[in-house]
Amino acid sequence: MIKEAELDPKADGQIPILAQDYLDGDSICKGEPVYVSALVKRGTTDVDMDENVHIMYGHPIDGLVAHVDLTNRKLLKLVDTDHTHIPMESVDYLDPKVTGTTHNCMKPQHIKQPGGGAPASPPRTTSCRARPGRSASASWPRGPHAARHLVQRPRPIHYLDATVVDDFYEPFVIKNATFMYEEDFGTLWKHTDVLASPPTGTMRRQHRFVVSFFVTVGSYRYGFYWYFYLDGRDELDCGHGYQMDCGHDYQMDD
């Protein structure tokens, strides 16, 4: 400890409320007969509310406001508006009897990296020579499958062919024109209830379904990624890229 000093709330202000202050306020109120009488009026003599209780937020004691002096451990004032109903229905969102049957369509997904993280590879440079005079139709195949090797995603990836028409309305098939896959995308939601008995914590992973394709125009490519999330959101991510004639240098810009 460097220095100990007594603070004047009027001059120095109040310190932030601590977790222990919540516990002290709770015990001070429960030791006051007027507070216990207000609970009896609401139909309970259990000051700890242990009966049929899992999550405290589901059983609010409405209409009762206590003003507590934490320093002197005294109840200064009790405001009672005579709202006497305390809901006692269970709100345990982890209990199947309360929430109903959850969806079990999600397959287990294991994310492992046994060897630990690897440092990023240094950028690779290469020299490429442009070849003027070559036509785009001869140098690059039609359709998005020309950029398929750029996609590195978890398996399985499903590829779908597409039938389109050329400038003369003649149909032709683009192999593997569209690809689809599902991937993990972090945390969907998480909650830890430290006041439950016993304390509980749970979380759900976020997954998203991806539908993507590339469009090649000359030496330029345009990538489209549709993302569909478990919480109902959907996003469209578009990017523009180009490939030089050496065949493996590639740059993608949003």
Side-chain angles (χ1 to χ4, degrees), residues 68-136:
V68 179
D69 182 349
L70 294 174
T71 302
N72 298 304
R73 299 187 63 84
K74 294 173 56 178
L75 177 63
L76 300 178
K77 181 181 180 181
L78 185 66
V79 178
D80 190 347
T81 64
D82 293 329
H83 184 89
T84 59
H85 175 66
I86 300 179
M88 295 304 298
E89 296 80 8
S90 175
V91 291
D92 183 3
Y93 56 86
L94 300 178
D95 185 359
K97 296 179 181 178
V98 176
T99 61
T101 304
T102 57
H103 293 288
N104 58 0
C105 57
M106 301 296 296
K107 296 182 179 180
Q109 186 172 36
H110 303 283
I111 304 174
K112 298 181 179 180
Q113 198 172 15
S121 301
R124 184 180 62 177
T125 60
T126 184
S127 59
C128 299
R129 180 169 56 87
R131 300 181 183 180
R134 295 184 63 183
S135 65

Side-chain angles (χ1 to χ4, degrees), residues 25-168:
D26 183 73
S27 61
I28 293 170
C29 288
K30 291 176 180 178
E32 292 286 345
V34 63
Y35 185 84
V36 176
S37 297
L39 293 181
V40 172
K41 185 169 61 175
R42 286 162 172 77
T44 179
T45 57
D46 181 14
V47 295
D48 292 321
M49 295 290 289
D50 287 332
E51 299 177 3
N52 195 29
V53 172
H54 178 78
I55 300 173
M56 59 163 290
Y57 302 107
H59 312 279
I61 305 175
D62 290 329
L64 198 60
V65 180
H67 297 255
V68 179
D69 182 349
L70 294 174
T71 302
N72 298 304
R73 299 187 63 84
K74 294 173 56 178
L75 177 63
L76 300 178
K77 181 181 180 181
L78 185 66
V79 178
D80 190 347
T81 64
D82 293 329
H83 184 89
T84 59
H85 175 66
I86 300 179
M88 295 304 298
E89 296 80 8
S90 175
V91 291
D92 183 3
Y93 56 86
L94 300 178
D95 185 359
K97 296 179 181 178
V98 176
T99 61
T101 304
T102 57
H103 293 288
N104 58 0
C105 57
M106 301 296 296
K107 296 182 179 180
Q109 186 172 36
H110 303 283
I111 304 174
K112 298 181 179 180
Q113 198 172 15
S121 301
R124 184 180 62 177
T125 60
T126 184
S127 59
C128 299
R129 180 169 56 87
R131 300 181 183 180
R134 295 184 63 183
S135 65
S137 60
S139 301
W140 289 274
R142 295 177 296 182
H145 58 288
R148 192 173 66 244
H149 64 283
L150 301 171
V151 181
Q152 297 180 1
R153 296 295 182 186
R155 293 297 189 265
I157 298 178
H158 301 282
Y159 294 94
L160 300 178
D161 299 341
T163 301
V164 297
V165 295
D166 60 16
D167 295 344
F168 301 98

Side-chain angles (χ1 to χ4, degrees), residues 91-251:
V91 291
D92 183 3
Y93 56 86
L94 300 178
D95 185 359
K97 296 179 181 178
V98 176
T99 61
T101 304
T102 57
H103 293 288
N104 58 0
C105 57
M106 301 296 296
K107 296 182 179 180
Q109 186 172 36
H110 303 283
I111 304 174
K112 298 181 179 180
Q113 198 172 15
S121 301
R124 184 180 62 177
T125 60
T126 184
S127 59
C128 299
R129 180 169 56 87
R131 300 181 183 180
R134 295 184 63 183
S135 65
S137 60
S139 301
W140 289 274
R142 295 177 296 182
H145 58 288
R148 192 173 66 244
H149 64 283
L150 301 171
V151 181
Q152 297 180 1
R153 296 295 182 186
R155 293 297 189 265
I157 298 178
H158 301 282
Y159 294 94
L160 300 178
D161 299 341
T163 301
V164 297
V165 295
D166 60 16
D167 295 344
F168 301 98
Y169 294 95
E170 293 295 330
F172 67 93
V173 176
I174 301 177
K175 299 293 294 183
N176 299 333
T178 303
F179 52 92
M180 303 182 300
Y181 57 89
E182 181 183 327
E183 65 181 359
D184 181 270
F185 197 67
T187 302
L188 176 62
W189 70 275
K190 183 183 186 301
H191 180 65
T192 300
D193 190 352
V194 297
L195 298 177
S197 180
T200 60
T202 185
M203 70 171 294
R204 298 292 184 271
R205 299 294 298 177
Q206 173 71 287
H207 287 238
R208 66 181 183 181
F209 177 60
V210 184
V211 179
S212 181
F213 64 92
F214 279 76
V215 175
T216 302
V217 181
S219 60
Y220 292 90
R221 290 194 177 88
Y222 302 88
F224 299 85
Y225 284 84
W226 279 101
Y227 300 113
F228 301 92
Y229 296 87
L230 291 178
D231 55 4
R233 293 184 296 123
D234 58 71
E235 296 177 351
L236 173 60
D237 185 12
C238 303
H240 163 260
Y242 60 88
Q243 183 169 358
M244 299 180 67
D245 195 50
C246 56
H248 59 264
D249 272 10
Y250 184 83
Q251 180 172 338

